[in-house]
Amino acid sequence: MNAPSEVAAARYGGRACDGARSAGTLGRLLGRLFSFPVFLGVLLFAGAFFGTLAEGKKGGTLFGEGDTWWHIRAGEEILDTHQLPHHDSYSWTAAGKEWIAYEWLGEVAMAAVYRAGSLRGLKLLQLFLTGGMLVLLYAYAAMRCGNAKAAFVVCALAVPVWAVFCSVRPQVIGYGFFLVLLLTLEWFRRGKSGALWFLPLLFVAWVNTHGTFVFGLLAIGVAWACGLRPFHRGEIGNTVWTDGQRRRLEIAALASVVGLCLTPYSTRLAAYPLDIGFLQPLNIASIQEWMPIPTERFLGLVVFGSLLAILIFQILRPFRCRPDDLILLAIAAILAILHIRFVPLFLIISVPLLSIPMARWLPRYDKGRDRHALNAGLMAALALAMGCSVPAQWQLQKAFAASFPIAATQYLQAHPEDGPLLNEYGWGGYLAWAHIPARGVFIDGRADIYERAGVLEDYLSITGLKPGAFGLLEKYGIRACLLQPDAPLSTALAESPGWEKAYSDSVSVVYVRRVIPPETEVPDLAKR
């Protein structure tokens, strides 16, 4: 038998070893948490945070985006009724027409945040979406180029563009899902096969949030196809999938496709991107975010400049990349050039590619030279600065009033007889959320339902002062118009007999018809 002293020594010695191992594990964890690459990620988050605040002061993003509000109304109704909509109840021009909430999961999340924190909650959501997505992009770029410093530099250059596009809309969440997908595929390429089985769950959430899930399917399909046969041209080359990798990727892709059917609307959400692409030509041709990118302006310069930089790098000093990188880059560039709304997609594809040649000029991270205490102090200072910079509720209310016709709606509520109302497209979402007017809006950001009902075409004819515009006002029985002061229709009504300016401020103007036509009832547009 062992002597008591030997037993005690073994017992307490074991505990000491366990304690040392625990202390070592904690030390390694803290070392990673306060490492220089993590500090760079926090610095990027802060850059996106303050960039978004600066953009908001110029009237952009959160308070310049009218679609946010009809999304919130849809989410609030789902939370209140525990049912999803199948028909329009927001407008009087398309009332009763078939409409489903294609982005219902994102809308419920937005509504829950608004109920919890009002405008300040929405602003915090916007700030964290913007910063969080940029950190994900940084992580993916660092993984691709193997140099956190290079990834940081290129991501920092993208902050001004990133801040412009990150409003509070389900599509922003969709781009976050796309980044998660790219990270998962990269982990899979590096031998972490277990990460792949997360994809079906990702696609279930994705299809219920936004139609950008099609880019995820595209990325999987391109990666699968490019790994079937070897390809090498200079520095452009791929690694062929092993039989096991290919089977696992095919099973995960098939399970993801099946997951697209797990929605309250069956397969209709999965088919909606096809609806937009082929059945909504007027929406694609007329709404600003679907317009081609202006080549001479900032966004055009960013897209074409990035493409030129990648081409020059690849010609003068070729860098390693895969065929699927170039295929996705070409698709993203074409979409961004044709439609402004896809610029974020282009950034997600181009930034990691640009970080690869950038890594040649910057030294890699050296663990031995890291200063964890300094990193921790700087990260704490950034967190404190961000916390102190979040706008107060009254500041957000002021910014909100500078972007939406809040004062004008008070006039409309006090004069319900001045209707039916024609409203600006960009304000329709806010009016629908505020239930002003009570009978519903003329139009809002749900261009799909208004195009099918013929309302979008008529609205564009009226506001564009096309031949017969005033006849359309008569057709709809319009008795009041809520417009921007510098809108062409506003100028025309100011000079038209029978119309009178009833209210105006720096944001909006209300014109009312004083010569009432014989038929003043709202026309039954369901019979059109």
Side-chain angles (χ1 to χ4, degrees), residues 220-244:
I220 293 175
V222 171
W224 171 81
C226 288
L228 295 178
R229 296 286 185 272
F231 178 89
H232 293 281
R233 293 291 186 275
E235 290 294 319
I236 303 172
N238 69 333
T239 302
V240 178
W241 300 118
T242 65
D243 289 341

Side-chain angles (χ1 to χ4, degrees), residues 309-358:
I310 291 172
L311 179 62
I312 291 174
F313 281 134
Q314 198 59 259
I315 292 175
L316 298 181
R317 294 196 62 186
F319 60 91
R320 292 176 292 102
C321 63
R322 301 188 297 255
D324 54 296
D325 291 328
L326 300 182
I327 293 172
L328 290 178
L329 177 68
I331 293 172
I334 292 171
L335 289 174
I337 291 169
L338 293 178
H339 308 293
I340 295 174
R341 69 177 284 151
F342 292 124
V343 170
L345 175 69
F346 176 79
L347 288 179
I348 291 172
I349 302 299
S350 62
V351 163
L353 283 180
L354 284 169
S355 67
I356 297 174
M358 181 66 70

Side-chain angles (χ1 to χ4, degrees), residues 29-50:
L29 178 61
L30 292 176
R32 290 183 180 181
L33 181 62
F34 297 117
S35 65
F36 185 68
V38 174
F39 165 69
L40 292 180
V42 174
L43 190 58
L44 276 175
F45 187 98
F49 186 97
F50 290 113

Side-chain angles (χ1 to χ4, degrees), residues 469-491:
F470 279 79
L472 288 171
L473 290 176
E474 295 283 351
K475 170 186 172 181
Y476 283 93
I478 300 297
R479 294 178 57 186
C481 297
L482 175 61
L483 306 168
Q484 295 181 4
D486 58 350
L489 181 59
S490 178
T491 303

Side-chain angles (χ1 to χ4, degrees), residues 382-432:
L382 288 172
L384 180 62
M386 287 187 285
C388 294
S389 301
V390 177
Q393 186 73 17
W394 68 268
Q395 293 174 308
L396 295 172
Q397 290 284 3
K398 184 178 179 180
F400 192 43
S403 299
F404 290 95
I406 296 177
T409 57
Q410 295 173 354
Y411 168 85
L412 294 172
Q413 287 177 305
H415 299 80
E417 71 278 2
D418 291 335
L421 175 75
L422 173 75
N423 60 270
E424 291 274 3
Y425 178 89
W427 291 339
Y430 161 71
L431 295 173

Side-chain angles (χ1 to χ4, degrees), residues 12 34 58 78 114 161 184 192 242 337 377 407 438 449 472 483 526:
Y12 292 113
F34 297 117
K58 295 187 290 185
I78 294 170
Y114 179 78
V161 183
T184 303
K192 298 179 180 179
T242 65
I337 291 169
I449 185 174
L472 288 171
L483 306 168

Side-chain angles (χ1 to χ4, degrees), residues 41 80 118 121 131 143 153 161 170 179 187 280 346 401 458 483 489 497:
D80 289 338
S118 189
M143 186 181 293
V153 170
V161 183
L179 280 165
W187 284 326
Q280 300 181 37
F346 176 79
D458 289 343
L483 306 168
L489 181 59

